[in-house]
Amino acid sequence: MSCSLSPGSRSDALQHGTSGTLPHFLQEPDDAYIVKSNPIKLKCRARPALQIFFKCNGEWVHQSQHQSQEHTDESTGLKIREVMINVSRQQVEDFHGPEDYWCLCVAWSHLGTSKSRKATVRIAYLRKNFEQDPQGREVPIKGMIVLHCRPPEGVPVAEVEWLKNEEPVSSDGNIDTRADHNLIIQEARLSDSGNYTCLASNIVAKRRSLTATVVIFVNGGWSLWTDWSVCNVPCGRGVQKRSRTCTNPAPLNGGAFCEGMSVQKSTCNALCPVDGGWAEWTEWTVCSGECERQRSRECTAPEPKRGGRLCDGAALGTYNCTGGLCTHSLEGSSDVALYSGLAAGVVTVVVLIVAVTLYRRNQSEYGVDVIDSSALTGGFQSFSFKTARQGNPLLISSSLQPDLTVSRTYTSPICFQDSMDKELISQEPSLFDPLPDLKVKVHSSFMVSLGVSERGAEYHAQKAHPQTFPRGLAPDYSGVRVEGTLRGRREKSLLAPHAPSTPSRPPLRTSGVLGHAGGRLVVPNTGVSLLVPHGGIAEDTTWEMYMVINQEDSSSTLSEESQEVLLSPEVTYGPPGLDLSCPVAMTIAHCAEVATDNWSIRLKRQTQDNKWEEVMSVEEESTSCYCLLEAQCCHLLLESPGRYALVGEPLSQEAVKRLRLAVFGSADNTNPLGYSLRVYCVDNTPYAFQEVASVERVKGGRLLEEPKTLLFRGNSFSLQLSIQDIPQFLWSIKPFTTCQEFSFSQVWASNQRPLQCAFSLERYSPASSQLSCKISVRQVKGQEQILQVYTSVVESEKEVVPFFTQSNCTTMSLTGSRAFKIPLSIRQRICATFDTTNAKGKDWQLLAQKLHIDRNLCYFARQESPSAVILSLWEAQHQDTGDLDSLASALEEIGKVHSSTHSTSSRATTLTTTGTTTRTTTTLGCSTEELDTEFT
């Protein structure tokens, strides 16, 4: 069956294609998302097509909403029709069907219709909140890290990207970011520590999750044990130790400190030296040609071993076997030896005479006659300062004001000030005018340091001569080393100690002239003092003694191999070569919390080559020095001058240092509306806080709150400071300064140096004159302290805070009886009673027990007067309290024990202490009236 087309129909068929072709879609509508309120466009294109219409949600779209275009395909000659419609957000929102809003195209040709695919139209969005934010983690090194992230709900579904410290994270063999939006790190490295953020995005927006901080920590590991140290005693039973450090690896980023002890101790037995002994004599030999018989012996019974002494005496014995009747013709040779000896003696005498003559002529240029006077048997010759000499500028030291009516003894080099010139000396009356031909024997630290301590030196003063003494011997210790070497110029003086210093850090020091009566040196407001007992300096002898606190860098004090920290200031006492008959008592404040056994505290001393050596550990017993450790300070009994310091090594994370916290305030000089708050964290010793006081005194700062104590643990966590409760409508603070932080190492190893942080505030109006806020100081996983600030920032309204009232203390040295709490006569009778053991059981060990000074008794046992040393230590302990109650109570208790067994032989005495009368027995051997007089 065939059909034919009319001429008009054939023409239309040629224009639109062959009669057997249905419309073919060259472009179908795509799925689309409406972003915000922007409409979307759907397009269709078909060939050949007479008409194309859109159908949305089952309904035809009105023809007026279509935009049509038509053109001819040049290769086929067929007509191509393209249609486009707009779909608005309102249309989609108004549709409420069982499925999403959809549209399709229907194209017509002469042979029928064709339909395109359905295109869905959805409103795009992305919610703000993540369904799951990543969480921070603390992961050990080489551990696995998994950070979960579930992005917010959105259309289309959001894509996830990970950022580390704001930089994209890419996947590699160790990091996987493709696992269901999670970040997986198979093996954590130190470099993986950082801030991680999950970033979700689609065509609408981007969303950032909360930041997750990942910390890769390293737990500490012990190093190998060191070799065992040598036994701490040269002979007998002692202690040896070995140590290890938590450095293999060291704890990092809050990792756990090593568990266990860093020091092991073990008993040891050191072989004692064996002194040599003589064996039996051999038999006498036959009489020799020299008419002698000999015998010998050897030092083999026993042989000296391990440094023992050699045998004393001769190893060879001889005697004349003829009774002196044997003679030889040696007279000629004996005469020659005699004459030779006489000639050598004459030559020696002539040489000595010439040398002495030249030496005396050389010394006469300075007007000084150095002689070996036998008239002065030792000690010091005193001379008097007359009233007429009161205004003499040539006095030895302006700080030593002489009593104009009493003769004084001075043992320092007699000298003039450096600034004194010859004209002044010639114009002023000579200091020694009334003392013609005076011989003053000088025995000072200067002579000791030069090695002339046994003989001293004598200056023979000529009358009224301007060149009598060498100029430029004014005392100065800047060149004097503790070990007894003098590096300063001869022009430097030797009376006043000067530690190495810079203009910004003047040395803290004190000095005084002490004699047989003893005395006390105090460095004001530092917790450092030195007690020289009565009788420690020989009679007719005085010493210019001094104490200096080191102000330089103290890092050399600490061992590089251990985790030592400096717990006290470095204190030097001298002069070098100081010769005392009993130990001195030095008190040094420290900042360790010693209530628990978490510290290994040691006393160190500087050697001649500027290195530091360990003197003793405070928990060990020693016969070289004594250490009594208390909560705030340490009392030391020392016998050798030098520089000393207390260092500590933490034995666990529970070790605690005491910090002192203080807040100061002052106006901002660069901003009339500004105000500065400065918070200091410093080791809790009076010396360390003095440096803060000095700095604030220069800045004009005011102490705004009573200083507080913070217990800082050795747990490797930092110290955080933050300012809170600032009146927001009255004051503003610089951005990003409300919270500040000190690292653990900064605080733990501050070495008596203060740490400071500042908060800069600004008031909005000059009418705001009051400032109130809180400053929180806390250690992470540790203690917290709050400093409350309430102050006036207007100059006229400021109150005077009595903070610096004690900083100008001038009580630096006390001599004689004023330096001691116990009167001398009572002290002597106590020593006479307890130094010798008697049948009644009263000895110095009982005294030490009652005064609670009953450890390391072997140190007192080697002293000439154990009771005197015990009382010196008691004096150092009670220098601040100043009462005798504890001593009187101890003596009373001893007396009661004695009186219960010897009641008939006792008689009462009285100790009067600040109006309180305490009865004891006659153990002191004096009457009640005598004791009352002494203590009054």
Side-chain angles (χ1 to χ4, degrees), residues 838-861:
N838 52 49
K840 302 173 184 178
K842 298 194 302 293
D843 62 1
W844 62 267
Q845 297 187 39
L846 180 59
L847 177 64
Q849 178 185 352
K850 297 303 179 182
L851 295 179
H852 308 290
I853 309 174
D854 52 355
R855 61 174 295 273
N856 198 9
L857 296 182
C858 59
Y859 177 83
F860 300 108

PDB file of all heavy atoms in Angstrom, residues 838-861:
ATOM      1  N   ASN A 838      79.202  12.885 132.332  1.00  0.00           N
ATOM      2  CA  ASN A 838      79.327  12.581 133.753  1.00  0.00           C
ATOM      3  C   ASN A 838      78.369  11.475 134.121  1.00  0.00           C
ATOM      4  O   ASN A 838      77.556  11.023 133.326  1.00  0.00           O
ATOM      5  CB  ASN A 838      79.062  13.842 134.601  1.00  0.00           C
ATOM      6  CG  ASN A 838      77.750  14.508 134.232  1.00  0.00           C
ATOM      7  OD1 ASN A 838      76.717  13.846 134.143  1.00  0.00           O
ATOM      8  ND2 ASN A 838      77.793  15.820 134.022  1.00  0.00           N
ATOM      9  N   ALA A 839      78.464  11.063 135.350  1.00  0.00           N
ATOM     10  CA  ALA A 839      77.664   9.935 135.812  1.00  0.00           C
ATOM     11  C   ALA A 839      76.184  10.248 135.819  1.00  0.00           C
ATOM     12  O   ALA A 839      75.348   9.354 135.844  1.00  0.00           O
ATOM     13  CB  ALA A 839      78.126   9.514 137.209  1.00  0.00           C
ATOM     14  N   LYS A 840      75.841  11.529 135.811  1.00  0.00           N
ATOM     15  CA  LYS A 840      74.433  11.900 135.859  1.00  0.00           C
ATOM     16  C   LYS A 840      73.770  11.820 134.471  1.00  0.00           C
ATOM     17  O   LYS A 840      72.580  12.077 134.358  1.00  0.00           O
ATOM     18  CB  LYS A 840      74.297  13.318 136.411  1.00  0.00           C
ATOM     19  CG  LYS A 840      74.904  13.470 137.799  1.00  0.00           C
ATOM     20  CD  LYS A 840      74.899  14.916 138.254  1.00  0.00           C
ATOM     21  CE  LYS A 840      75.597  15.081 139.599  1.00  0.00           C
ATOM     22  NZ  LYS A 840      75.641  16.497 140.033  1.00  0.00           N
ATOM     23  N   GLY A 841      74.537  11.518 133.455  1.00  0.00           N
ATOM     24  CA  GLY A 841      73.956  11.349 132.132  1.00  0.00           C
ATOM     25  C   GLY A 841      73.728  12.635 131.380  1.00  0.00           C
ATOM     26  O   GLY A 841      73.097  12.632 130.326  1.00  0.00           O
ATOM     27  N   LYS A 842      74.219  13.770 131.893  1.00  0.00           N
ATOM     28  CA  LYS A 842      74.025  15.038 131.192  1.00  0.00           C
ATOM     29  C   LYS A 842      75.254  15.291 130.319  1.00  0.00           C
ATOM     30  O   LYS A 842      76.347  15.547 130.842  1.00  0.00           O
ATOM     31  CB  LYS A 842      73.835  16.196 132.182  1.00  0.00           C
ATOM     32  CG  LYS A 842      72.618  16.063 133.066  1.00  0.00           C
ATOM     33  CD  LYS A 842      72.290  17.371 133.760  1.00  0.00           C
ATOM     34  CE  LYS A 842      73.447  17.882 134.598  1.00  0.00           C
ATOM     35  NZ  LYS A 842      73.718  17.007 135.744  1.00  0.00           N
ATOM     36  N   ASP A 843      75.080  15.215 129.001  1.00  0.00           N
ATOM     37  CA  ASP A 843      76.153  15.553 128.081  1.00  0.00           C
ATOM     38  C   ASP A 843      75.550  16.269 126.880  1.00  0.00           C
ATOM     39  O   ASP A 843      74.341  16.508 126.813  1.00  0.00           O
ATOM     40  CB  ASP A 843      76.932  14.301 127.661  1.00  0.00           C
ATOM     41  CG  ASP A 843      76.060  13.298 126.922  1.00  0.00           C
ATOM     42  OD1 ASP A 843      74.852  13.568 126.711  1.00  0.00           O
ATOM     43  OD2 ASP A 843      76.564  12.234 126.557  1.00  0.00           O
ATOM     44  N   TRP A 844      76.400  16.630 125.928  1.00  0.00           N
ATOM     45  CA  TRP A 844      75.951  17.446 124.790  1.00  0.00           C
ATOM     46  C   TRP A 844      74.947  16.691 123.914  1.00  0.00           C
ATOM     47  O   TRP A 844      74.118  17.309 123.256  1.00  0.00           O
ATOM     48  CB  TRP A 844      77.162  17.895 123.970  1.00  0.00           C
ATOM     49  CG  TRP A 844      77.975  16.784 123.357  1.00  0.00           C
ATOM     50  CD1 TRP A 844      79.065  16.180 123.880  1.00  0.00           C
ATOM     51  CD2 TRP A 844      77.720  16.140 122.106  1.00  0.00           C
ATOM     52  NE1 TRP A 844      79.525  15.197 123.047  1.00  0.00           N
ATOM     53  CE2 TRP A 844      78.725  15.155 121.932  1.00  0.00           C
ATOM     54  CE3 TRP A 844      76.769  16.283 121.116  1.00  0.00           C
ATOM     55  CZ2 TRP A 844      78.797  14.332 120.833  1.00  0.00           C
ATOM     56  CZ3 TRP A 844      76.833  15.467 119.995  1.00  0.00           C
ATOM     57  CH2 TRP A 844      77.845  14.502 119.869  1.00  0.00           C
ATOM     58  N   GLN A 845      74.998  15.367 123.890  1.00  0.00           N
ATOM     59  CA  GLN A 845      74.023  14.621 123.095  1.00  0.00           C
ATOM     60  C   GLN A 845      72.615  14.781 123.661  1.00  0.00           C
ATOM     61  O   GLN A 845      71.635  14.894 122.912  1.00  0.00           O
ATOM     62  CB  GLN A 845      74.407  13.147 123.052  1.00  0.00           C
ATOM     63  CG  GLN A 845      75.746  12.887 122.357  1.00  0.00           C
ATOM     64  CD  GLN A 845      76.039  11.414 122.172  1.00  0.00           C
ATOM     65  OE1 GLN A 845      75.146  10.648 121.865  1.00  0.00           O
ATOM     66  NE2 GLN A 845      77.291  11.027 122.370  1.00  0.00           N
ATOM     67  N   LEU A 846      72.494  14.816 125.000  1.00  0.00           N
ATOM     68  CA  LEU A 846      71.193  15.049 125.617  1.00  0.00           C
ATOM     69  C   LEU A 846      70.708  16.462 125.316  1.00  0.00           C
ATOM     70  O   LEU A 846      69.522  16.679 125.038  1.00  0.00           O
ATOM     71  CB  LEU A 846      71.288  14.823 127.121  1.00  0.00           C
ATOM     72  CG  LEU A 846      69.986  15.023 127.924  1.00  0.00           C
ATOM     73  CD1 LEU A 846      68.903  14.077 127.429  1.00  0.00           C
ATOM     74  CD2 LEU A 846      70.244  14.828 129.413  1.00  0.00           C
ATOM     75  N   LEU A 847      71.621  17.436 125.334  1.00  0.00           N
ATOM     76  CA  LEU A 847      71.261  18.808 125.001  1.00  0.00           C
ATOM     77  C   LEU A 847      70.765  18.899 123.562  1.00  0.00           C
ATOM     78  O   LEU A 847      69.743  19.546 123.271  1.00  0.00           O
ATOM     79  CB  LEU A 847      72.468  19.730 125.211  1.00  0.00           C
ATOM     80  CG  LEU A 847      72.265  21.207 124.840  1.00  0.00           C
ATOM     81  CD1 LEU A 847      71.218  21.843 125.733  1.00  0.00           C
ATOM     82  CD2 LEU A 847      73.591  21.967 124.916  1.00  0.00           C
ATOM     83  N   ALA A 848      71.461  18.238 122.643  1.00  0.00           N
ATOM     84  CA  ALA A 848      71.039  18.247 121.231  1.00  0.00           C
ATOM     85  C   ALA A 848      69.672  17.601 121.066  1.00  0.00           C
ATOM     86  O   ALA A 848      68.819  18.077 120.298  1.00  0.00           O
ATOM     87  CB  ALA A 848      72.073  17.528 120.372  1.00  0.00           C
ATOM     88  N   GLN A 849      69.427  16.531 121.802  1.00  0.00           N
ATOM     89  CA  GLN A 849      68.136  15.850 121.707  1.00  0.00           C
ATOM     90  C   GLN A 849      67.002  16.748 122.182  1.00  0.00           C
ATOM     91  O   GLN A 849      65.947  16.838 121.539  1.00  0.00           O
ATOM     92  CB  GLN A 849      68.178  14.566 122.528  1.00  0.00           C
ATOM     93  CG  GLN A 849      66.853  13.809 122.531  1.00  0.00           C
ATOM     94  CD  GLN A 849      66.893  12.606 123.459  1.00  0.00           C
ATOM     95  OE1 GLN A 849      67.950  12.272 123.977  1.00  0.00           O
ATOM     96  NE2 GLN A 849      65.760  11.967 123.657  1.00  0.00           N
ATOM     97  N   LYS A 850      67.185  17.452 123.284  1.00  0.00           N
ATOM     98  CA  LYS A 850      66.134  18.299 123.830  1.00  0.00           C
ATOM     99  C   LYS A 850      65.907  19.534 122.964  1.00  0.00           C
ATOM    100  O   LYS A 850      64.811  20.103 122.948  1.00  0.00           O
ATOM    101  CB  LYS A 850      66.477  18.722 125.262  1.00  0.00           C
ATOM    102  CG  LYS A 850      66.561  17.555 126.239  1.00  0.00           C
ATOM    103  CD  LYS A 850      65.263  16.741 126.266  1.00  0.00           C
ATOM    104  CE  LYS A 850      65.355  15.574 127.219  1.00  0.00           C
ATOM    105  NZ  LYS A 850      64.112  14.747 127.209  1.00  0.00           N
ATOM    106  N   LEU A 851      66.921  19.976 122.223  1.00  0.00           N
ATOM    107  CA  LEU A 851      66.771  21.122 121.325  1.00  0.00           C
ATOM    108  C   LEU A 851      66.369  20.683 119.921  1.00  0.00           C
ATOM    109  O   LEU A 851      66.366  21.501 118.996  1.00  0.00           O
ATOM    110  CB  LEU A 851      68.065  21.937 121.280  1.00  0.00           C
ATOM    111  CG  LEU A 851      68.482  22.622 122.579  1.00  0.00           C
ATOM    112  CD1 LEU A 851      69.785  23.374 122.389  1.00  0.00           C
ATOM    113  CD2 LEU A 851      67.410  23.575 123.071  1.00  0.00           C
ATOM    114  N   HIS A 852      66.077  19.386 119.758  1.00  0.00           N
ATOM    115  CA  HIS A 852      65.643  18.836 118.464  1.00  0.00           C
ATOM    116  C   HIS A 852      66.709  19.028 117.384  1.00  0.00           C
ATOM    117  O   HIS A 852      66.406  19.262 116.215  1.00  0.00           O
ATOM    118  CB  HIS A 852      64.316  19.470 118.021  1.00  0.00           C
ATOM    119  CG  HIS A 852      63.250  19.408 119.077  1.00  0.00           C
ATOM    120  ND1 HIS A 852      62.630  18.234 119.455  1.00  0.00           N
ATOM    121  CD2 HIS A 852      62.711  20.390 119.860  1.00  0.00           C
ATOM    122  CE1 HIS A 852      61.745  18.476 120.400  1.00  0.00           C
ATOM    123  NE2 HIS A 852      61.768  19.777 120.671  1.00  0.00           N
ATOM    124  N   ILE A 853      67.960  18.927 117.790  1.00  0.00           N
ATOM    125  CA  ILE A 853      69.082  18.975 116.841  1.00  0.00           C
ATOM    126  C   ILE A 853      69.847  17.665 117.032  1.00  0.00           C
ATOM    127  O   ILE A 853      70.999  17.644 117.463  1.00  0.00           O
ATOM    128  CB  ILE A 853      70.002  20.193 117.097  1.00  0.00           C
ATOM    129  CG1 ILE A 853      69.183  21.478 117.180  1.00  0.00           C
ATOM    130  CG2 ILE A 853      71.042  20.338 116.000  1.00  0.00           C
ATOM    131  CD1 ILE A 853      69.997  22.694 117.564  1.00  0.00           C
ATOM    132  N   ASP A 854      69.168  16.561 116.745  1.00  0.00           N
ATOM    133  CA  ASP A 854      69.735  15.269 117.130  1.00  0.00           C
ATOM    134  C   ASP A 854      70.078  14.386 115.936  1.00  0.00           C
ATOM    135  O   ASP A 854      70.123  13.175 116.071  1.00  0.00           O
ATOM    136  CB  ASP A 854      68.758  14.543 118.053  1.00  0.00           C
ATOM    137  CG  ASP A 854      67.360  14.444 117.474  1.00  0.00           C
ATOM    138  OD1 ASP A 854      67.143  15.028 116.396  1.00  0.00           O
ATOM    139  OD2 ASP A 854      66.510  13.792 118.079  1.00  0.00           O
ATOM    140  N   ARG A 855      70.292  14.946 114.760  1.00  0.00           N
ATOM    141  CA  ARG A 855      70.749  14.151 113.623  1.00  0.00           C
ATOM    142  C   ARG A 855      72.170  14.574 113.263  1.00  0.00           C
ATOM    143  O   ARG A 855      72.616  15.665 113.571  1.00  0.00           O
ATOM    144  CB  ARG A 855      69.828  14.304 112.413  1.00  0.00           C
ATOM    145  CG  ARG A 855      69.718  15.704 111.857  1.00  0.00           C
ATOM    146  CD  ARG A 855      68.891  15.728 110.573  1.00  0.00           C
ATOM    147  NE  ARG A 855      69.536  14.989 109.516  1.00  0.00           N
ATOM    148  CZ  ARG A 855      70.445  15.527 108.692  1.00  0.00           C
ATOM    149  NH1 ARG A 855      70.816  16.784 108.836  1.00  0.00           N
ATOM    150  NH2 ARG A 855      70.983  14.802 107.739  1.00  0.00           N
ATOM    151  N   ASN A 856      72.874  13.659 112.613  1.00  0.00           N
ATOM    152  CA  ASN A 856      74.262  13.901 112.211  1.00  0.00           C
ATOM    153  C   ASN A 856      75.118  14.294 113.417  1.00  0.00           C
ATOM    154  O   ASN A 856      75.884  15.258 113.385  1.00  0.00           O
ATOM    155  CB  ASN A 856      74.321  14.987 111.137  1.00  0.00           C
ATOM    156  CG  ASN A 856      75.640  14.985 110.373  1.00  0.00           C
ATOM    157  OD1 ASN A 856      76.454  14.069 110.521  1.00  0.00           O
ATOM    158  ND2 ASN A 856      75.856  16.011 109.570  1.00  0.00           N
ATOM    159  N   LEU A 857      74.990  13.537 114.492  1.00  0.00           N
ATOM    160  CA  LEU A 857      75.732  13.860 115.711  1.00  0.00           C
ATOM    161  C   LEU A 857      77.232  13.649 115.555  1.00  0.00           C
ATOM    162  O   LEU A 857      78.005  14.188 116.349  1.00  0.00           O
ATOM    163  CB  LEU A 857      75.207  12.996 116.867  1.00  0.00           C
ATOM    164  CG  LEU A 857      73.740  13.245 117.271  1.00  0.00           C
ATOM    165  CD1 LEU A 857      73.369  12.370 118.454  1.00  0.00           C
ATOM    166  CD2 LEU A 857      73.517  14.716 117.607  1.00  0.00           C
ATOM    167  N   CYS A 858      77.635  12.895 114.524  1.00  0.00           N
ATOM    168  CA  CYS A 858      79.073  12.693 114.325  1.00  0.00           C
ATOM    169  C   CYS A 858      79.776  14.006 114.000  1.00  0.00           C
ATOM    170  O   CYS A 858      80.971  14.154 114.268  1.00  0.00           O
ATOM    171  CB  CYS A 858      79.304  11.668 113.217  1.00  0.00           C
ATOM    172  SG  CYS A 858      78.593  12.130 111.620  1.00  0.00           S
ATOM    173  N   TYR A 859      79.020  14.977 113.438  1.00  0.00           N
ATOM    174  CA  TYR A 859      79.640  16.272 113.158  1.00  0.00           C
ATOM    175  C   TYR A 859      79.978  17.002 114.453  1.00  0.00           C
ATOM    176  O   TYR A 859      81.075  17.558 114.611  1.00  0.00           O
ATOM    177  CB  TYR A 859      78.696  17.137 112.310  1.00  0.00           C
ATOM    178  CG  TYR A 859      79.224  18.515 112.042  1.00  0.00           C
ATOM    179  CD1 TYR A 859      80.117  18.754 111.009  1.00  0.00           C
ATOM    180  CD2 TYR A 859      78.856  19.598 112.838  1.00  0.00           C
ATOM    181  CE1 TYR A 859      80.618  20.019 110.771  1.00  0.00           C
ATOM    182  CE2 TYR A 859      79.355  20.870 112.614  1.00  0.00           C
ATOM    183  CZ  TYR A 859      80.229  21.067 111.582  1.00  0.00           C
ATOM    184  OH  TYR A 859      80.733  22.323 111.352  1.00  0.00           O
ATOM    185  N   PHE A 860      79.072  16.984 115.418  1.00  0.00           N
ATOM    186  CA  PHE A 860      79.349  17.670 116.688  1.00  0.00           C
ATOM    187  C   PHE A 860      80.441  16.945 117.474  1.00  0.00           C
ATOM    188  O   PHE A 860      81.186  17.570 118.225  1.00  0.00           O
ATOM    189  CB  PHE A 860      78.061  17.752 117.524  1.00  0.00           C
ATOM    190  CG  PHE A 860      76.956  18.498 116.852  1.00  0.00           C
ATOM    191  CD1 PHE A 860      75.844  17.831 116.356  1.00  0.00           C
ATOM    192  CD2 PHE A 860      77.025  19.868 116.687  1.00  0.00           C
ATOM    193  CE1 PHE A 860      74.824  18.514 115.738  1.00  0.00           C
ATOM    194  CE2 PHE A 860      76.000  20.564 116.058  1.00  0.00           C
ATOM    195  CZ  PHE A 860      74.905  19.880 115.574  1.00  0.00           C
ATOM    196  N   ALA A 861      80.509  15.623 117.310  1.00  0.00           N
ATOM    197  CA  ALA A 861      81.472  14.856 118.087  1.00  0.00           C
ATOM    198  C   ALA A 861      82.907  15.255 117.779  1.00  0.00           C
ATOM    199  O   ALA A 861      83.780  15.144 118.650  1.00  0.00           O
ATOM    200  CB  ALA A 861      81.269  13.369 117.838  1.00  0.00           C
TER     201      ALA A 861
END
